[in-house]
């Protein structure tokens, strides 16, 4: 096999179904008698995938150039999230002592690996391909039970989208309102796409980066009014959840127009998000600097809240965000945040897809949230997540390769008393996604 192709294949050639294989289970971490370079490197795969062997010590320079460590780590993290930790080598076969096939057992499945070892004295690996996976005995009920056992409140929906109809495959608390954090940005993207479709704007329009915000992965410390295109703002807002891009778009598109779009998309309790707070307004109001007006905001109706926001426009700015307030744990996530039910999110995905905008769909697909292994059974996979202390939300829109059907997987987890385990939720969502792909 060509070395470059073998290296790239780990990221590109991953399927999630495989025929059953005969297994001769050995204890975790144990190795059989190693007589060839292939045997020795195969025996190290459990420790490699678990991160106990240095990447640079295992792979040849050609592999490292084609698949940098950060990419390899993302792939293995995605696999572990779906199939659990690597446990043992079930079987390793080679006809020449340099290349062959390894069946690597994980906690929830078995992966098939093609392995090629160089002829040099250091026996570096130049080809490694995860080609197939066999999931063992998973089900929607099992994943749902693990989700329900988490502390706090949880809800989810896995459903086929048939035009404007949501056909649930599995669900729990699908009509309950959850704090969803940045998942609310789907409605901002929807309104942006609608304004572009009407001819009011273009994706290529240039706008100033007018509103800096807290926790902005892309625009932190950028000069105010840096010119960027609307597509760039959308890319940042969705793919890395940049808050400066988000607030710039809210002010540009119009707060009330986004609220109207949220209603039109079928949100079941839009008042929970009216007025639609910018990220700076939210962070500021949650902080200690705004203890004087926070009770009035929480107690007020939509009209009173909007009046309070307008009256304090000059105070609700990034300079007054008290970041220290967010160190210890959740802050008022049941009182004011951004809220949606799993069914609301499914309807938002339907509205977005109905825009028939290739650009908008490409924005959603920049970061699929679950990695390449979990995304392999899907012809298309778009994603938006949300998180803050006590809040996690993950939502995916996918077109299944097997039959072209469109599905949504959305999961929310709230706990007003404690921070949450993001890796735990990623693992559960990835399993939902794998079951939905079948």
């Amino acid at each position: 096999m060509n070395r470059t192709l073998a290296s790239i294949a780990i990221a590109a050639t991953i399927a999630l179904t495989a025929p059953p294989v005969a297994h001769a289970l050995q204890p975790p971490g144990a190795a059989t008698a190693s007589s060839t370079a292939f045997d020795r490197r195969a025996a190290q795969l459990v420790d490699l995938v678990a991160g106990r062997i240095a990447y640079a010590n295992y792979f040849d320079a050609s592999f490292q150039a084609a698949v940098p460590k950060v990419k390899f780590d993302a792939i293995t993290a995605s696999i572990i999230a779906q199939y659990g930790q690597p446990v043992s080598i079930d079987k390793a076969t080679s006809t020449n002592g340099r290349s062959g096939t390894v069946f690597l057992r994980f906690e929830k499945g078995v992966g098939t690996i093609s392995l090629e070892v160089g002829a040099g004295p250091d026996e570096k690996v130049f080809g490694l391909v995860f080609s197939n996976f066999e999931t063992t005995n998973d089900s929607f009920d099992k994943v749902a039970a693990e989700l329900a056992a988490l502390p706090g409140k949880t809800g989810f929906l896995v459903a086929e989208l048939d035009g404007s109809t949501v056909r649930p495959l599995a669900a729990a608390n699908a009509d309950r309102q959850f704090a969803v954090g940045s998942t609310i940005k789907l409605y901002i993207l929807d309104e942006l796409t609608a304004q572009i479709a009407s001819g009011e704007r273009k994706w290529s329009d240039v706008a100033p980066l007018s509103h800096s915000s807290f926790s902005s992965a892309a625009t932190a410390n950028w000069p105010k009014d840096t010119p960027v295109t609307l597509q760039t703002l959308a890319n940042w807002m969705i793919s890395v959840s940049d808050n400066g891009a988000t607030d710039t778009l809210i002010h540009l598109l119009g707060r009330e127009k986004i609220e109207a779009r949220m209603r039109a998309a079928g949100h079941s309790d839009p008042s929970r998000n009216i007025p639609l707070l910018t990220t700076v307004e939210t962070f500021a109001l949650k902080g200690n600097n705004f203890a004087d007006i926070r009770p009035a905001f929480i107690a007020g109706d939509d009209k009173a809240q909007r009046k309070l926001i307008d009256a304090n426009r000059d105070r609700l700015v990034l300079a007054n965000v008290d970041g220290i307030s967010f160190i210890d744990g959740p802050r008022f996530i049941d009182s004011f945040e951004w809220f949606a039910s799993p069914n609301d999110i499914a309807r938002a995905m339907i509205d977005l897809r109905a825009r028939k905008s290739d650009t908008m769909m490409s924005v959603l697909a920049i970061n699929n949230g679950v990695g390449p292994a979990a995304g392999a059974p899907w012809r298309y996979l778009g994603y938006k997540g949300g998180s803050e202390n006590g809040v996690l939300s993950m939502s995916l829109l996918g077109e299944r390769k097997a039959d072209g059907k469109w599905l949504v997987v959305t999961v929310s987890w709230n706990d007003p008393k404690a921070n949450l385990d993001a890796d735990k939720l990623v693992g559960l969502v990835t399993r939902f996604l794998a079951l939905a792909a079948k």
Side-chain angles (χ1 to χ4, degrees):
M1 182 183 290
N2 177 279
R3 290 190 178 202
T4 302
L5 291 177
S7 301
I8 294 173
I10 186 172
T13 313
I14 302 178
L16 301 183
T17 59
V21 295
H23 303 303
L25 188 63
Q26 69 183 57
T32 57
S34 298
S35 58
T36 69
F38 172 84
D39 293 331
R40 287 186 285 275
R41 286 304 187 184
Q44 294 176 320
L45 279 171
V46 171
D47 287 336
L48 174 74
V49 175
R52 294 189 290 267
I53 289 180
Y55 167 88
N57 292 339
Y58 192 86
F59 290 113
D60 181 80
S62 63
F63 186 98
Q64 295 183 46
V67 187
K69 184 178 185 299
V70 64
K71 189 172 185 178
F72 181 79
D73 288 346
I75 293 167
T76 55
S78 174
I79 292 170
I80 289 171
Q82 183 167 348
Y83 297 101
Q85 290 293 330
V87 174
S88 64
I89 304 301
D90 278 10
K91 187 178 180 181
T93 58
S94 172
T95 58
N96 60 12
R98 291 288 174 184
S99 62
T101 302
V102 184
F103 295 108
L104 177 59
R105 177 169 289 277
F106 294 79
E107 292 171 317
K108 300 183 182 73
V110 177
T112 304
I113 299 174
S114 297
L115 186 69
E116 296 187 81
V117 184
D122 53 4
E123 299 179 348
K124 292 289 185 73
V125 169
F126 66 84
L128 191 156
V129 180
F130 289 92
S131 58
N132 290 290
F133 277 89
E134 175 192 358
T135 304
T136 54
N137 302 320
D138 211 4
S139 70
F140 285 127
D141 286 345
K142 287 183 178 180
V143 185
E146 291 182 38
L147 182 68
L150 296 174
K153 299 177 182 179
T154 62
F156 79 95
L157 173 67
V158 179
E160 291 184 6
L161 303 181
D162 183 4
S164 60
T165 302
V166 178
R167 302 189 188 282
L169 302 178
N173 300 320
D175 287 320
R176 177 181 291 176
Q177 293 292 311
F178 291 92
V180 296
S182 289
T183 303
I184 204 71
K185 295 171 185 178
L186 291 172
Y187 294 106
I188 302 171
L189 180 64
D190 198 8
E191 175 59 18
L192 172 60
T193 309
Q195 291 189 18
I196 289 170
S198 71
E200 183 178 350
R201 305 183 190 279
K202 297 178 181 178
W203 290 107
S204 58
D205 285 350
V206 174
L209 185 65
S210 57
H211 288 75
S212 299
S213 185
F214 185 67
S215 185
S216 295
T219 63
N221 301 317
W222 278 47
K224 188 177 185 300
D225 295 331
T226 296
V228 291
T229 68
L230 299 188
Q231 185 172 352
T232 299
L233 290 172
N235 287 347
W236 285 337
M237 177 179 71
I238 299 299
S239 67
V240 295
S241 218
D242 187 272
N243 289 326
T246 300
D247 286 2
T248 294
L249 283 171
I250 291 175
H251 285 278
L252 180 69
L253 301 175
R255 193 196 307 261
E256 294 187 7
K257 287 185 177 180
I258 300 167
E259 294 165 358
R261 183 63 53 196
M262 178 178 57
R263 292 190 196 95
H267 195 291
S268 59
D269 192 3
S271 179
R272 298 294 298 271
N273 302 313
I274 295 175
L276 182 77
L277 296 175
T278 67
T279 65
V280 160
E281 289 165 350
T282 303
F283 285 125
L285 283 168
K286 284 175 179 275
N288 293 333
N289 290 341
F290 288 85
D292 57 332
I293 64 173
R294 184 167 52 241
F297 184 89
I298 292 173
D301 60 14
D302 294 352
K303 183 177 180 180
Q305 289 178 341
R306 198 183 300 278
K307 184 176 180 180
L308 187 150
I309 293 295
D310 290 342
N312 288 274
R313 184 181 297 109
D314 293 339
R315 285 185 65 198
L316 292 167
V317 295
L318 180 59
N320 290 331
V321 172
D322 174 22
I324 300 298
S325 301
F326 299 91
I327 291 177
D328 292 333
R331 302 276 296 185
F332 309 104
I333 68 168
D334 289 335
S335 301
F336 65 95
E337 225 263 3
W338 299 281
F339 296 92
S341 71
N343 274 322
D344 291 336
I345 295 171
R347 288 187 286 268
M349 292 296 195
I350 288 172
D351 209 53
L352 284 163
R353 186 167 162 253
R355 300 279 162 220
K356 299 186 183 301
S357 168
D358 291 341
T359 301
M360 182 276 297
M361 294 292 278
S362 72
V363 170
L364 275 176
I366 293 171
N367 170 15
N368 75 9
V370 292
W378 300 89
R379 186 174 296 123
Y380 172 87
L381 196 61
Y383 168 78
K384 187 70 196 85
S387 67
E388 69 167 270
N389 294 341
V391 175
L392 286 174
S393 177
M394 296 180 67
S395 299
L396 299 106
L397 172 69
E399 182 186 13
R400 198 161 50 194
K401 282 182 181 178
D403 55 13
K405 289 185 177 181
W406 286 84
L407 292 97
V408 64
V409 175
T410 178
V411 181
S412 289
W413 179 14
N414 292 172
D415 189 344
K417 298 179 179 179
N419 293 333
L420 307 179
D421 185 344
D423 290 340
K424 172 68 74 174
L425 191 69
V426 171
L428 295 173
V429 170
T430 306
R431 288 166 62 194
F432 274 139
L433 190 67
L435 290 163
K438 296 179 179 179

